[in-house]
């Protein structure tokens, strides 16, 4: 059986890796348009190994994230990849946040996670500078070097006999009843099964293959700062606010990375390109794709105030610092230096709803991963198992 995987981010590479492990006779090809693996969502995320606190019990995110947090730690340990199980604090800093915090604690318990409610004193045993009237400690949260995970997955997969093509952009797909032909800038690939893990471009790839996606990907840029080296001592691990359950975005938070730096963010603003890591990056096709989509306008009408708040924070370092100071009062604007931004591929339905769960569509001999933002990196090894279990042998 011949398999072609489109997309060399962590989900695509994990899927190819699982295929060569489970089906040693399979002929697997991975195509990636960039010159290195994991350039986009994988290479621009916060490096967190999520526990699965936020997700609806029984959902794909909840089940695959919980399993993935364990399998990712195991993979990193086995292959000498930098990682650490740090635990994290989710803190309420205002009485109005307490009902949401306690509802989140109940959800985490329903997901079978190692969580405890903590008061201000115990919270400060973990994070001496934190502001907190009540919090949740999540023991199984960690951090990892996901770029290194991608490199190792590619190495193992290629050694097992897969063909890995970098600098190979997909320019067309012809899908028949028995086989699929993927046209790329480095030649055609004929396969029996297609797996689309194209991330920010997954809906476009699906349309190339004759699939009508139930949602469209809209890019949201997540902007980060990091603490100056002499201020990194303010954060020991991970400190998060209580999220608003209406949104998939968790709010700006503080994360000590595997290299010891402390990242702050991200916020969430509409990007003017699917790979729009700065305000200045504008791609007319991507802008038109978003602007002509009714689902985005429906979303904007529902959440205009939230969107304005995010844009104002994006444009003001002082406002960004104020959001962080709710968690750690000692943080000031002078402590922050710009860091690399990321772009989240967020699927939105025609009715203007954010797709909350992973969205994986199977049709015939094709599988399309149409919504896999955070916690996809954490869950990637488990998403790969989920996908390969549903592929023709």
């Amino acid at each position: 059986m011949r398999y072609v995987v489109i997309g060399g981010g962590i989900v695509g590479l994990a899927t190819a890796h699982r295929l060569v492990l489970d089906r040693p006779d399979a002929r697997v090809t991975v195509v990636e348009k960039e010159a290195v693996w994991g350039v986009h969502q994988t290479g621009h995320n916060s490096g967190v190994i999520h526990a699965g606190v936020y997700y609806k019990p029984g959902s794909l995110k909840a089940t695959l994230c919980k399993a993935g947090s364990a399998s990712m730690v195991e993979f990193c340990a086995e292959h000498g990849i930098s990682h650490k199980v740090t635990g994290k604090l989710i803190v309420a800093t205002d009485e109005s946040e307490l009902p949401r915090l306690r509802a989140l604690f109940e959800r985490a318990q329903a997901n079978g996670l190692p969580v405890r409610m903590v008061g201000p004193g115990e919270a400060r045993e973990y994070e001496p500078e934190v502001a907190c009237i009540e919090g949740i400690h999540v023991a199984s949260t960690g951090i990892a070097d996901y770029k290194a995970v991608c490199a190792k997955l590619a190495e193992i997969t290629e050694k097992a006999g897969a063909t890995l093509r970098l600098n190979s952009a997909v320019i067309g797909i012809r899908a028949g009843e028995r086989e699929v032909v993927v046209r790329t800038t480095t030649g055609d690939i004929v396969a029996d099964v297609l797996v689309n893990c194209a991330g920010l471009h997954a809906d476009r790839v699906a349309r190339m293959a004759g699939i009508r996606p139930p949602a469209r990907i809209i890019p949201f840029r997540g902007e980060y700062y990091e603490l100056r080296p002499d201020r990194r001592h303010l954060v020991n691990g991970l400190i998060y606010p209580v999220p608003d359950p209406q949104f998939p975005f968790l709010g700006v938070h503080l994360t000590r990375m595997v290299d010891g730096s402390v990242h702050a963010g991200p916020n969430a603003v509409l990007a003017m390109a699917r790979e729009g890591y700065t305000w200045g990056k504008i791609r007319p096709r991507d802008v038109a794709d978003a602007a002509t989509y009714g689902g985005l306008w429906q979303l904007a009408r529902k959440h205009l105030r939230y969107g304005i708040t995010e844009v104002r924070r994006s444009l003001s370092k002082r406002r960004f610092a104020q959001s962080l100071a709710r968690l750690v009062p000692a943080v000031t604007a002078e402590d922050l230096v710009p860091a690399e931004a990321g772009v989240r591929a967020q699927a939105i339905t025609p009715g203007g709803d954010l797709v909350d769960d992973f969205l994986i569509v199977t049709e015939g001999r094709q599988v399309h991963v149409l919504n896999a933002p955070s916690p996809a990196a954490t869950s990637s090894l488990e998403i790969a198992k989920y996908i390969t279990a549903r592929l023709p042998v």
Side-chain angles (χ1 to χ4, degrees):
M1 188 73 74
R2 300 163 298 177
Y3 301 87
V4 59
V5 179
I6 299 173
I10 197 167
V11 174
L13 289 169
T15 301
H17 170 254
R18 177 50 53 183
L19 279 169
V20 299
L21 287 181
D22 289 355
R23 307 177 187 188
D25 294 331
R27 292 164 57 189
V28 180
T29 302
V30 182
V31 292
E32 165 56 48
K33 70 183 178 66
E34 304 293 352
V36 295
W37 305 110
V39 168
H40 293 296
Q41 290 187 102
T42 305
H44 290 81
N45 69 30
S46 59
V48 176
I49 301 174
H50 289 282
V53 171
Y54 306 100
Y55 317 121
K56 182 180 178 181
S59 67
L60 279 179
K61 278 190 177 181
T63 55
L64 299 183
C65 184
K66 181 185 176 185
S69 65
S71 58
M72 183 56 66
V73 168
E74 183 180 343
F75 183 88
C76 290
E78 179 182 353
H79 297 288
I81 296 169
S82 295
H83 71 289
K84 186 177 182 181
V85 179
T86 58
K88 80 171 178 182
L89 285 174
I90 304 169
V91 296
T93 59
D94 183 271
E95 293 282 345
S96 64
E97 297 173 333
L98 291 178
R100 281 189 282 136
L101 182 76
R102 289 163 185 163
L104 190 63
F105 178 70
E106 291 174 2
R107 172 167 284 194
Q109 286 185 309
N111 284 332
L113 303 179
V115 291
R116 292 187 304 109
M117 295 294 294
V118 296
E122 191 171 0
R124 283 191 285 272
E125 291 178 13
Y126 294 107
E127 295 287 350
E129 299 291 337
V130 75
C132 172
I133 59 172
E134 196 167 28
I136 302 171
H137 182 257
V138 187
S140 54
T141 301
I143 49 174
D145 183 347
Y146 286 125
K147 289 183 181 179
V149 172
C150 275
K152 180 56 67 173
L153 286 168
E155 177 191 327
I156 296 169
T157 303
E158 192 165 39
K159 282 182 178 177
T163 300
L164 273 59
R165 292 193 192 180
L166 292 166
N167 296 305
S168 186
V170 175
I171 54 177
I173 298 172
R174 186 172 71 251
E177 287 186 13
R178 295 184 177 274
E179 65 181 24
V180 59
V181 180
V182 178
R183 296 175 52 232
T184 80
T185 52
T186 57
D188 292 356
I189 301 164
V190 181
D192 302 296
V193 178
L194 178 150
V195 183
N196 168 17
C197 301
L200 287 155
H201 302 280
D203 57 338
R204 289 174 175 169
V205 169
R207 286 194 291 271
M208 279 187 195
I211 304 299
R212 185 176 181 180
R216 183 173 298 184
I217 289 174
I218 301 296
F220 286 86
R221 185 171 59 256
E223 294 160 328
Y224 290 89
Y225 286 91
E226 61 180 71
L227 296 187
R228 296 192 334 247
D230 61 316
R231 299 292 279 171
R232 291 175 180 173
H233 67 276
L234 295 175
V235 178
N236 289 333
L238 292 84
I239 307 173
Y240 280 61
V242 182
D244 186 330
Q246 295 183 77
F247 302 99
F249 313 112
L250 300 180
V252 294
H253 47 269
L254 291 148
T255 303
R256 180 174 283 273
M257 310 288 279
V258 290
D259 63 359
S261 62
V262 176
H263 275 213
N267 66 340
V269 295
L270 186 67
M272 296 295 104
R274 293 208 179 189
E275 296 162 11
Y277 298 106
T278 65
W279 277 104
K281 180 70 177 289
I282 301 172
R283 296 194 68 174
R285 179 193 177 189
D286 295 346
V287 173
D289 208 25
T292 58
Y293 184 51
L296 178 60
W297 292 103
Q298 295 275 14
L299 178 73
R301 278 192 285 271
K302 293 175 186 177
H303 303 300
L304 181 61
R305 181 176 297 180
Y306 181 91
I308 291 172
T309 298
E310 293 293 297
V311 171
R312 291 173 71 189
R313 184 161 55 203
S314 171
L315 298 173
S316 170
K317 183 179 179 180
R318 178 181 60 82
R319 289 183 185 276
F320 205 107
Q322 286 175 343
S323 295
L324 295 169
R326 293 187 68 245
L327 307 175
V328 177
V331 172
T332 68
E334 290 70 33
D335 297 329
L336 304 179
V337 294
E340 198 173 56
V343 177
R344 177 190 180 106
Q346 178 62 54
I348 298 176
T349 70
D353 295 319
L354 297 163
V355 177
D356 186 50
D357 205 357
F358 296 141
L359 177 59
I360 301 172
V361 173
T362 301
E363 188 164 320
R365 291 176 170 268
Q366 302 179 34
V367 175
H368 297 270
V369 182
L370 297 176
N371 192 58
S374 180
T378 300
S379 311
S380 54
L381 300 175
E382 304 303 320
I383 293 173
K385 292 176 185 176
Y386 180 88
I387 290 170
T388 55
R390 286 156 179 77
L391 294 179
V393 177

